[in-house]
Amino acid sequence: GSRGVTEREAALLEKDIPGVRISRYTTDTVRRFFVNTRKKPLDDIRVRRAIFNALNQQNVISTAYQGAGFRGDYMGLGEWGLPQAELNKMPPYRGPTQADLDEAKKLLAEAGYPRGLTLEMLQPHLYEPLTLVVTADLRKVGIETKIRVVQYPVEWIPLVTKGNYDLSIGPTVFALYDPDAYLKNALTGDSENYTGVSSPEVDALYQKQAGIVDFAERKKVSDQLQLKIWEMRSHFPPFWVMYFHAALPQVKGWKGPGRLRDNFRYEGLWLAQ
């Protein structure tokens, strides 16, 4: 199947069945943090930079999901991910320093909010733990949130599509691990560009990488594209979902899926009698 066992089931299987193999793997499923750049004061890059200085992927993973998640950039874990040196420049990925938090407060003051500000956080009904951790992190730089719980997807999608929100958490599932799929929601006018962000540079880099066949050459342009998306501070993944699969000892030739959809490849499996 697609999702295998739960985290608790995986732990019990490891405890109770000698030789069982558990695969903990990344997926094409991500939770994203969205900032509506179409509304004041979020149209001000200083405010958005302050918000992103407060985010902390590891805090989300360890607190909201008890370690069942992965850190990563816009492309997650895999061959298309940014170099570690670039990731370490991003406060959400490496974890904000005190200097990052101090800079956030300074940016808010420069934008006209020396005492901080209050924003609405749109929360799909499934994501309370994630929302609570993110809002606690934002509070560290003087940003308070009013949480508005809505049903996903029937209420959430119309609201974010029309831009009727300030901040939000939301899921994204991709059909293919490729920049064409993962990065298109930063394009001007894209149907899943819920933040309303628009950049001619991003649009041009996306089209450029889409036409390159050589992996190494395309990777360079894809990296540039991701960094341009980061500069806009419109969205970022608080964490990448961790799934679990298990195989009993008699299942041979099974290495575990590298990604969610790889679990459906069974041509090399066989059962020992």
Side-chain angles (χ1 to χ4, degrees), residues 144-218:
E144 296 293 332
T145 54
K146 294 181 178 179
I147 298 175
R148 178 184 174 190
V149 180
V150 297
Q151 292 294 307
Y152 179 87
V154 64
E155 292 181 307
W156 184 81
I157 289 180
L159 288 170
V160 294
T161 299
K162 296 176 182 178
N164 294 329
Y165 75 101
D166 292 334
L167 310 173
S168 186
I169 300 293
T172 305
V173 181
F174 302 99
L176 177 69
Y177 183 59
D178 187 271
D180 281 0
Y182 275 56
L183 304 178
K184 68 186 290 292
N185 65 355
L187 294 178
T188 302
D190 186 79
S191 61
E192 294 186 356
N193 181 351
Y194 300 137
T195 69
V197 72
S198 178
S199 165
E201 289 181 283
V202 166
D203 296 345
L205 284 170
Y206 181 90
Q207 297 302 327
K208 182 178 179 180
Q209 64 80 32
I212 299 174
V213 176
D214 179 75
F215 172 79
E217 183 181 352
R218 188 182 180 206

Side-chain angles (χ1 to χ4, degrees), residues 27-65:
T27 72
D28 299 305
T29 304
V30 65
R31 307 289 182 259
R32 290 186 184 272
F33 173 79
F34 297 101
V35 177
N36 186 2
T37 67
R38 293 163 287 195
K39 292 184 65 176
K40 292 186 178 298
L42 300 171
D43 59 342
D44 190 327
I45 186 61
R46 295 172 296 183
V47 174
R48 301 203 302 274
R49 284 179 58 197
I51 289 171
F52 281 72
N53 270 28
L55 300 181
N56 188 333
Q57 279 188 330
Q58 188 56 53
N59 196 23
V60 168
I61 294 168
S62 59
T63 304
Y65 293 96

Side-chain angles (χ1 to χ4, degrees), residues 201-255:
E201 289 181 283
V202 166
D203 296 345
L205 284 170
Y206 181 90
Q207 297 302 327
K208 182 178 179 180
Q209 64 80 32
I212 299 174
V213 176
D214 179 75
F215 172 79
E217 183 181 352
R218 188 182 180 206
K219 175 71 165 59
K220 291 179 182 179
V221 180
S222 173
D223 286 354
Q224 294 173 23
L225 173 56
Q226 288 197 70
L227 292 174
K228 284 296 180 182
I229 293 172
W230 164 247
E231 286 179 11
M232 295 190 296
R233 305 295 203 278
S234 61
H235 70 281
F236 197 82
F239 85 115
W240 289 83
V241 179
M242 179 185 289
Y243 284 152
F244 304 81
H245 273 83
L248 296 174
Q250 61 265 36
V251 178
K252 305 300 181 181
W254 185 78
K255 299 179 181 179

Side-chain angles (χ1 to χ4, degrees), residues 67-206:
F70 295 99
R71 295 160 63 209
D73 55 27
Y74 298 99
M75 291 296 301
L77 302 178
E79 60 189 356
W80 294 107
L82 285 169
Q84 192 68 39
E86 295 294 343
L87 288 171
N88 286 336
K89 298 175 184 178
M90 300 178 177
Y93 178 83
R94 60 168 162 72
T97 63
Q98 186 58 51
D100 293 323
L101 301 179
D102 291 342
E103 181 188 41
K105 295 174 183 178
K106 180 180 178 180
L107 287 166
L108 288 175
E110 291 175 357
Y113 303 95
R115 298 183 180 180
L117 73 161
T118 299
L119 299 168
E120 181 183 78
M121 171 72 81
L122 197 64
Q123 178 203 306
H125 69 284
L126 301 171
Y127 302 121
E128 180 180 8
L130 172 55
T131 301
L132 291 176
V133 173
V134 169
T135 56
D137 285 339
L138 293 176
R139 189 172 296 119
K140 295 175 184 178
V141 299
I143 299 173
E144 296 293 332
T145 54
K146 294 181 178 179
I147 298 175
R148 178 184 174 190
V149 180
V150 297
Q151 292 294 307
Y152 179 87
V154 64
E155 292 181 307
W156 184 81
I157 289 180
L159 288 170
V160 294
T161 299
K162 296 176 182 178
N164 294 329
Y165 75 101
D166 292 334
L167 310 173
S168 186
I169 300 293
T172 305
V173 181
F174 302 99
L176 177 69
Y177 183 59
D178 187 271
D180 281 0
Y182 275 56
L183 304 178
K184 68 186 290 292
N185 65 355
L187 294 178
T188 302
D190 186 79
S191 61
E192 294 186 356
N193 181 351
Y194 300 137
T195 69
V197 72
S198 178
S199 165
E201 289 181 283
V202 166
D203 296 345
L205 284 170
Y206 181 90

